[in-house]
């Protein structure tokens, strides 16, 4: 999080603790009308993610204050977003986590906070070193977009492995896991909206700003703007497999993620990569169900040696999977013809 920021752009700026916004007149009525349309779409939209009622006023105000700056960022920040998306994808993380860098630093690699956090992801020196970055009087890899994003992805992955809820991950990224656990204990709840007032105000608002940023950029929420229970209730099964992976931290760290689409079948993959079917399903729950859905896309997660086997044999795997599906369809059609006769 940045407290101060040196900016070379000509626009007059104001600092809102965790976000730098243009200090220019905005037609709030237009933004409010746009927000009302956006919110209705989020309730009845294609992905089903709904904005929590307790976030509505905050997000609406956030959009009014920051919409024009973020609209501008969609253009000049495109190369940064593409880089971040690529790295997040390698870790099997939701691409929407890139908006955390927006509220942390306004996407500025030179951002430096008053407490010593630096770079686009505002990593503290000690945290950065633990994550493998060099930070000394000669080199500060926190300011490298590629290296700092890689480190942030590791950090976010580990936080999610520990907490299992993206809103709690964003709170912990800002204020530490200690404050999150204290809030859980004091509130007797793991639901962000129930424990939010037991968190420091800065962390509480950080989560809401993250939600507001995503709604401003994408016009809808996602798994990262919902609590675990909200996501389970609202999102389709094809979006929920990430919650059902039963991996410990060591297994998650040693695994590799690759997005796949097509007519792959888990049994065929397991055969070619020499992996027990039960073990495959532990890494990739509901694989066949998701691949048979309209989504037809899955973040395949495997131990590194198994992923090498998959990549080496993926065309044979796909071909055999398709042949099995065709044979199954023929069998089903024959059974229907017999039944009709």
């Amino acid at each position: 999080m940045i407290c101060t920021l040196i900016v070379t752009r000509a626009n007059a700026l104001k600092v809102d603790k965790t976000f730098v916004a243009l200090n220019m007149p905005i037609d709030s009525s237009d933004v409010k009308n746009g927000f009302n349309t956006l919110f209705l779409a989020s309730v009845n939209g294609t992905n089903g993610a709904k904005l929590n009622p307790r976030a509505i006023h905050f997000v609406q105000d956030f959009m009014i204050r920051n919409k024009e700056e973020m609209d501008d960022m969609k253009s000049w920040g495109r190369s940064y977003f593409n880089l971040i998306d690529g790295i997040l994808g390698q870790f099997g993380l939701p691409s929407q986590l890139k908006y955390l860098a927006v509220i942390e630093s306004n996407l500025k690699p030179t951002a430096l906070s008053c407490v010593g956090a630096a770079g686009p992801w505002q990593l503290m020196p000690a945290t950065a070193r633990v994550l493998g970055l060099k930070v000394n009087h000669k080199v500060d890899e926190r300011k490298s977009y590629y290296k700092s994003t890689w480190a942030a992805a590791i950090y976010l992955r580990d936080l999610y492995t520990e907490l299992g809820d993206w809103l709690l991950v964003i709170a912990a990224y800002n204020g530490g896991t200690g404050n999150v656990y204290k809030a859980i204990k004091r509130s007797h709840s793991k639901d962000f909206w129930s424990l939010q007032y037991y968190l420091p105000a800065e962390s509480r608002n950080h989560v809401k700003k993250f939600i507001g940023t995503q709604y401003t950029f994408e016009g809808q929420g996602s798994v990262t703007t919902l609590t675990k229970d909200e996501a389970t209730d609202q999102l389709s099964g094809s979006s929920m497999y990430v919650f059902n992976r039963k991996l410990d931290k060591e297994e998650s760290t040693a695994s590799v993620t690759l997005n796949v689409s097509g007519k792959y079948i888990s049994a065929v993959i397991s055969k070619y990569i020499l992996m027990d079917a039960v073990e495959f399903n532990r890494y990739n729950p509901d694989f066949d169900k998701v691949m048979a859905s309209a989504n037809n896309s899955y973040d395949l997660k495997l131990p590194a040696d198994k992923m090498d086997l998959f990549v080496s044999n993926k065309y044979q795997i796909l071909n055999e999977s398709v042949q099995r599906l065709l044979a199954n369809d023929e069998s089903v059609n024959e059974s229907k013809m017999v039944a009709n006769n």
Side-chain angles (χ1 to χ4, degrees), residues 25 56 103 107 123 143 172 191-192 200 219 231 240-241 310 315 326:
I56 292 174
I103 62 171
L107 291 184
L123 296 169
K143 298 178 181 180
D191 180 278
F192 170 78
M240 294 307 301
Y241 64 87
F310 173 80
Y315 297 112
L326 290 173

Side-chain angles (χ1 to χ4, degrees), residues 23-176:
N23 188 10
M24 60 185 355
I26 298 175
D27 188 340
S28 61
S29 62
D30 288 344
V31 178
K32 286 182 179 179
N33 290 334
F35 176 84
N36 291 335
T37 301
L38 176 156
F39 180 61
L40 289 174
S42 79
V43 174
N44 304 302
T46 56
N47 75 352
K50 301 176 183 178
L51 182 61
N52 189 287
R54 284 169 281 190
I56 292 174
H57 294 302
F58 186 101
V59 171
Q60 182 175 9
D61 181 63
F62 184 87
M63 291 177 64
I64 290 171
R65 289 185 289 110
N66 299 298
K67 185 178 185 300
E68 292 202 21
E69 171 73 0
M70 290 187 179
D71 283 346
D72 189 32
M73 189 183 295
K74 290 177 183 179
S75 177
W76 67 259
R78 184 176 296 113
S79 61
Y80 292 133
F81 286 139
N82 289 341
L83 182 150
I84 295 172
D85 283 345
I87 294 174
L88 292 176
Q90 292 183 60
F91 284 85
L93 296 172
S95 63
Q96 291 83 3
L97 291 173
K98 61 177 170 282
Y99 302 125
L100 184 57
V102 174
I103 62 171
E104 287 288 341
S105 67
N106 203 28
L107 291 184
K108 301 296 184 181
T110 55
L112 179 65
S113 81
C114 53
V115 295
W121 294 93
Q122 288 294 280
L123 296 169
M124 294 294 288
T127 302
R129 294 187 184 102
V130 169
L131 295 169
L133 298 182
K134 293 180 181 179
V135 181
N136 54 49
H137 66 285
K138 293 183 178 180
V139 179
D140 191 345
E141 292 183 337
R142 295 176 297 172
K143 298 178 181 180
S144 162
Y145 238 100
Y146 181 84
K147 292 180 180 180
S148 67
T149 300
W150 193 271
I154 294 173
Y155 191 28
L156 290 165
R157 178 201 62 192
D158 290 349
L159 285 173
Y160 183 76
T161 299
E162 181 176 352
L163 296 168
D165 183 298
W166 285 117
L167 297 189
L168 298 185
V169 166
I170 302 303
Y173 191 96
N174 174 261

Side-chain angles (χ1 to χ4, degrees), residues 158-198:
D158 290 349
L159 285 173
Y160 183 76
T161 299
E162 181 176 352
L163 296 168
D165 183 298
W166 285 117
L167 297 189
L168 298 185
V169 166
I170 302 303
Y173 191 96
N174 174 261
T177 54
N179 281 325
V180 171
Y181 283 122
K182 287 178 184 177
I184 290 172
K185 183 178 180 179
R186 292 170 181 171
S187 66
H188 306 290
S189 174
K190 293 184 178 180
D191 180 278
F192 170 78
W193 302 106
S194 298
L195 62 76
Q196 61 170 315
Y197 292 107
Y198 294 91

Side-chain angles (χ1 to χ4, degrees), residues 137-341:
H137 66 285
K138 293 183 178 180
V139 179
D140 191 345
E141 292 183 337
R142 295 176 297 172
K143 298 178 181 180
S144 162
Y145 238 100
Y146 181 84
K147 292 180 180 180
S148 67
T149 300
W150 193 271
I154 294 173
Y155 191 28
L156 290 165
R157 178 201 62 192
D158 290 349
L159 285 173
Y160 183 76
T161 299
E162 181 176 352
L163 296 168
D165 183 298
W166 285 117
L167 297 189
L168 298 185
V169 166
I170 302 303
Y173 191 96
N174 174 261
T177 54
N179 281 325
V180 171
Y181 283 122
K182 287 178 184 177
I184 290 172
K185 183 178 180 179
R186 292 170 181 171
S187 66
H188 306 290
S189 174
K190 293 184 178 180
D191 180 278
F192 170 78
W193 302 106
S194 298
L195 62 76
Q196 61 170 315
Y197 292 107
Y198 294 91
L199 289 168
E202 180 182 298
S203 298
R204 177 172 69 249
N205 290 332
H206 209 62
V207 173
K208 295 177 183 178
K209 289 178 181 182
F210 172 79
I211 295 172
T213 300
Q214 181 170 329
Y215 269 86
T216 305
F217 272 93
E218 299 196 357
Q220 63 181 357
S222 73
V223 68
T224 60
T225 61
L226 304 172
T227 66
K228 181 177 180 179
D229 286 344
E230 286 174 336
T232 301
D233 290 340
Q234 297 175 24
L235 300 182
S236 65
S238 63
S239 303
M240 294 307 301
Y241 64 87
V242 292
F243 287 115
N244 299 321
R245 284 187 168 129
K246 306 300 182 184
L247 306 178
D248 59 32
K249 184 175 181 179
E250 289 72 23
E251 290 172 326
S252 182
T253 300
S255 63
V256 179
T257 303
L258 176 69
N259 183 266
V260 296
S261 59
K263 302 298 183 181
Y264 288 101
I265 298 176
S266 64
V268 179
I269 297 176
S270 298
K271 168 188 168 183
Y272 276 85
I273 67 174
L274 307 176
M275 191 174 191
D276 179 76
V278 174
E279 189 72 354
F280 178 88
N281 289 329
R282 189 167 67 86
Y283 276 79
N284 301 283
D286 299 323
F287 181 85
D288 290 330
K289 180 180 178 181
V290 173
M291 296 305 284
S293 71
N295 182 36
N296 190 233
S297 177
Y298 196 102
D299 288 329
L300 182 70
K301 197 174 190 70
L302 295 169
D305 59 328
K306 301 299 183 184
M307 185 62 79
D308 288 341
L309 288 172
F310 173 80
V311 172
S312 298
N313 296 280
K314 63 180 181 179
Y315 297 112
Q316 297 96 310
I317 294 171
L318 181 58
N319 182 60
E320 185 170 329
S321 296
V322 170
Q323 294 304 316
R324 286 200 188 189
L325 288 170
L326 290 173
N328 183 62
D329 287 343
E330 290 178 1
S331 177
V332 170
N333 289 334
E334 289 176 1
S335 297
K336 288 181 178 179
M337 290 176 64
V338 171
N340 290 334
N341 292 330

